[in-house]
């Protein structure tokens, strides 16, 4: 590749800024621990909460939407109905934030535009491609990380493993130059911080746009290979292409957060659940056919992205609450996945529960494009940890993992011990 045509990626202007720790110090987000009792109390009063649920929990309002009237859908049946009705409940509300941060993302689209563009992106994540990645690229990324601590007898699996493997895979899939990957990961993670810290967040967003625009334009002229996602999508965009250039660039700007963060937070929470339920961890260790059930139950028990947004296109009443066009409707997947009307004893983690009806990746036409990839990554990762770390267990000398957060949920630390290989 002619790297001289591509400017090196630029780091944050502030060299001391650490986005991986910033959210815990800048916002109250990660002080929210067990939010489910209060969500259940509110759901029992009404499956639709009239107000800004974030403010109710003592968090910052979403400044991009503070001028809107807010509702939160807490019931499972109501959440399914909202997400299934894309004519009545539009994604255009994301133009207030994702559209500003990432550009013309497919997430902000509705109707035929959404269908046409999503169809093209889905070609890159079809089951055949995901299966191929699961045979080689994903295991390679995962085992490379485990190699770094497999002989130690102990590890902190968030900082040493789960924070990295989904992003390393994306870096590989995009064929990013090795020397750019650490800064790329740092900037991509820093984008999330715009909610708490506008200056650093915008710095990250601006620099990622600059870099990705240069990469896409370069690979349109100098494609690398059939397995390079940027080259593939770049050929579909630009003059004469099916995808418009700014849509492709917006896709890559959002990919690290939409793809990486979901797997990172989701898998960390699955590990936390299994390690704090050692009898179920042992069952999975002995019978690997239980791995898919364990993953699904972990994602139900703590959805990595607890809420997704919609706005009505017409006046509509749900559970006696009237919503109007332009209102912000936050569909609380985390609350819906703990609704006792859909899941008996919903607060109990139980890998033997029949995994149906939960919504860790949304529902309807806008369901996560990369959901199959995320499941593949987590399946490979859990099997690899159980294979490579005999006797994997929670470290008895350190605090047990605790899932925290509201906009994103996951544990800060997962301390484990195992028998060194």
């Amino acid at each position: 590749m002619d790297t001289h045509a591509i400017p090196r990626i630029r780091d944050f202007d502030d060299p001391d800024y650490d986005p991986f720790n910033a959210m815990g110090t800048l916002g109250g987000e990660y002080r929210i621990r067990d939010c489910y009792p209060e969500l259940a109390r509110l759901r029992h009063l009404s499956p639709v909460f009239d107000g800004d649920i974030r403010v109710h929990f003592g968090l910052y309002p979403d400044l991009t939407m503070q001028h809107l009237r807010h509702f939160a859908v807490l019931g499972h049946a109501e959440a399914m109905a909202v997400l299934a009705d894309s004519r009545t409940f539009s994604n255009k509300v994301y133009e207030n934030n994702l559209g500003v941060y990432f550009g013309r993302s497919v997430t902000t689209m509705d109707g035929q535009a959404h269908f046409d563009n999503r169809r093209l992106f889905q070609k890159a994540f079809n089951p055949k491609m995901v299966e191929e990645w699961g045979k080689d690229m994903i295991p390679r990324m995962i085992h490379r990380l485990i190699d770094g601590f497999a002989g130690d007898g102990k590890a902190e699996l968030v900082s040493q493993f789960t924070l990295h493997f989904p992003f390393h895979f994306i870096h590989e899939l995009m064929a990013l130059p090795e020397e750019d990957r650490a800064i790329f990961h740092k900037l991509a993670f820093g984008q999330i911080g715009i909610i708490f810290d506008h200056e650093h967040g915008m710095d990250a967003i601006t620099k990622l746009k600059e870099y990705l625009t240069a990469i896409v334009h370069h690979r349109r002229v100098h494609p690398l290979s059939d397995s390079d996602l940027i080259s593939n999508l770049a050929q579909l965009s630009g003059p004469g292409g099916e995808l418009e250039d700014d849509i492709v660039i917006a896709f890559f700007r959002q990919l690290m957060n939409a793809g990486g963060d979901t797997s990172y937070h989701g898998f960390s929470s699955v590990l936390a659940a299994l390690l704090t339920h050692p009898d179920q961890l042992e069952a999975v260790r002995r019978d690997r056919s239980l791995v898919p059930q364990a993953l699904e139950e972990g994602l139900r028990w703590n959805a990595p992205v607890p809420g997704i947004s919609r706005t009505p296109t017409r006046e509509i009443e749900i559970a006696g609450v009237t919503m109007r066009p332009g209102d912000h409707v936050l569909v609380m997947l985390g609350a819906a996945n703990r609704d006792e009307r859909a899941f008996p004893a919903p607060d109990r983690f139980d890998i033997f529960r029949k995994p149906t009806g939960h919504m860790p990746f949304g529902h309807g036409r806008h369901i996560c494009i990369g959901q199959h990839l995320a499941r593949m990554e987590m399946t490979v990762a859990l099997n690899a940890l159980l294979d490579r770390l005999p006797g994997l267990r929670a470290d008895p000398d350190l605090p047990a993992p605790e899932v925290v957060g509201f906009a994103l949920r996951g544990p800060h630390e997962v301390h484990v011990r195992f028998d060194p290989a």
Side-chain angles (χ1 to χ4, degrees):
M1 182 177 66
D2 178 14
T3 56
H4 297 293
I6 303 173
R8 291 275 66 84
I9 193 166
R10 295 189 297 140
D11 202 343
F12 283 99
D13 291 338
D14 178 356
D16 297 323
Y17 181 65
D18 179 4
F20 300 106
N21 293 320
M23 283 200 291
T25 58
L26 292 173
E29 167 74 15
Y30 287 123
R31 290 195 294 271
I32 301 293
R33 290 179 166 78
D34 189 1
C35 56
Y36 297 109
E38 179 60 9
L39 288 172
R41 186 187 74 81
L42 295 174
R43 187 176 58 246
H44 293 157
L45 296 174
S46 172
V48 176
F49 176 76
D50 188 344
D52 190 331
I53 195 77
R54 297 190 64 82
V55 173
H56 178 81
F57 273 85
L59 299 173
Y60 47 84
D62 185 334
L63 298 180
T64 66
M65 300 190 195
Q66 65 181 137
H67 60 291
L68 304 179
R69 189 180 178 203
H70 294 264
F71 302 93
V73 179
L74 309 178
H76 183 270
E78 293 76 14
M80 292 276 281
V82 168
L83 297 178
D85 186 358
S86 59
R87 288 182 178 272
T88 301
F89 291 94
S90 164
N91 268 47
K92 286 191 179 296
V93 70
Y94 281 120
E95 291 179 350
N96 290 283
N97 46 31
L98 296 184
V100 174
Y101 306 153
F102 300 127
R104 202 147 65 96
S105 164
V106 69
T107 305
T108 68
M109 299 177 185
D110 291 311
Q112 195 64 39
H114 171 260
F115 176 82
D116 290 342
N117 286 290
R118 181 186 172 99
R119 176 178 54 84
L120 293 169
F121 284 123
Q122 279 183 313
K123 290 181 179 179
F125 295 94
N126 65 69
K128 183 179 179 181
M129 288 299 299
V130 171
E131 183 180 354
E132 287 300 312
W133 296 332
K135 291 177 181 176
D136 175 47
M137 195 184 298
I138 293 173
R140 180 157 36 90
M141 299 295 102
I142 285 171
H143 284 287
R144 184 186 299 170
L145 285 167
I146 296 176
D147 287 344
F149 56 82
D152 296 343
K154 63 180 180 179
E156 194 289 286
L157 289 180
V158 173
S159 62
Q160 292 182 264
F161 185 64
T162 65
L163 178 61
H164 302 289
F165 80 79
F167 300 99
H168 285 199
F169 169 68
I170 292 173
H171 297 160
E172 192 78 1
L173 195 61
M174 295 170 68
L176 296 180
E178 288 285 348
E179 61 269 26
D180 291 347
R181 295 184 181 193
I183 296 176
F184 191 92
H185 188 185
K186 184 179 176 184
L187 291 173
F189 210 83
Q191 292 180 122
I192 310 171
I194 194 167
I195 301 172
F196 313 95
D197 184 337
H198 187 268
E199 181 182 355
H200 287 111
M202 284 306 301
D203 190 20
I205 286 167
T206 300
K207 286 172 178 169
L208 276 180
K209 180 182 180 182
E210 170 192 279
Y211 180 71
L212 286 167
T213 300
I215 289 277
V216 168
H217 289 173
H218 184 270
R219 298 222 187 138
R220 181 174 299 123
V221 180
H222 304 287
L224 291 184
S225 69
D226 292 338
S227 62
D228 164 27
L229 185 61
I230 295 182
S231 294
N232 285 338
L233 292 179
Q235 303 309 308
L236 292 174
S237 65
E242 295 181 84
L243 281 167
E244 293 183 44
D245 208 27
D246 57 342
I247 296 174
V248 170
I249 293 167
F251 174 81
F252 284 115
R253 292 171 69 189
Q254 192 176 350
L255 177 63
M256 286 286 282
N257 300 118
D261 284 323
T262 301
S263 294
Y264 150 49
H265 283 88
F267 188 64
S268 298
S269 293
V270 169
L271 288 178
L274 288 170
L275 289 163
T276 53
H277 295 80
D279 56 329
Q280 298 189 59
L281 174 61
E282 185 60 28
V284 176
R285 191 191 335 263
R286 292 177 178 275
D287 180 1
R288 298 303 177 81
S289 69
L290 294 173
V291 165
Q293 290 176 220
L295 293 173
E296 296 304 323
E297 175 64 356
L299 293 171
R300 180 202 68 83
W301 201 53
N302 268 301
V305 181
I308 53 179
S309 298
R310 297 291 187 268
T311 188
T313 59
R314 60 182 176 85
E315 185 173 305
I316 187 170
E317 182 178 298
I318 299 180
V321 178
T322 300
M323 304 172 184
R324 296 180 175 83
D327 290 345
H328 177 220
V329 181
L330 188 64
V331 182
M332 290 296 297
L333 304 177
N337 288 341
R338 295 277 191 118
D339 190 339
E340 64 279 354
R341 296 175 299 170
F343 306 99
D347 295 325
R348 186 178 70 226
F349 175 74
D350 180 7
I351 64 171
F352 300 102
R353 185 192 304 273
K354 189 175 180 180
T356 57
H358 63 305
M359 298 177 283
F361 299 104
H363 177 67
R365 293 184 67 176
H366 283 275
I367 194 167
C368 176
I369 291 175
Q371 60 169 320
H372 302 301
L373 175 57
R375 287 183 167 101
M376 170 67 78
E377 288 179 316
M378 288 187 271
T379 298
V380 174
L382 183 53
N383 275 304
L385 289 175
L386 294 175
D387 287 341
R388 299 281 308 275
L389 309 179
L392 179 67
R393 58 198 179 273
D395 190 329
D397 298 326
L398 291 167
E402 182 180 27
V403 178
V404 296
F406 199 80
L408 289 168
R409 282 187 68 77
H412 281 310
E413 297 177 327
V414 176
H415 294 282
V416 296
R417 286 190 177 271
F418 47 88
D419 305 326

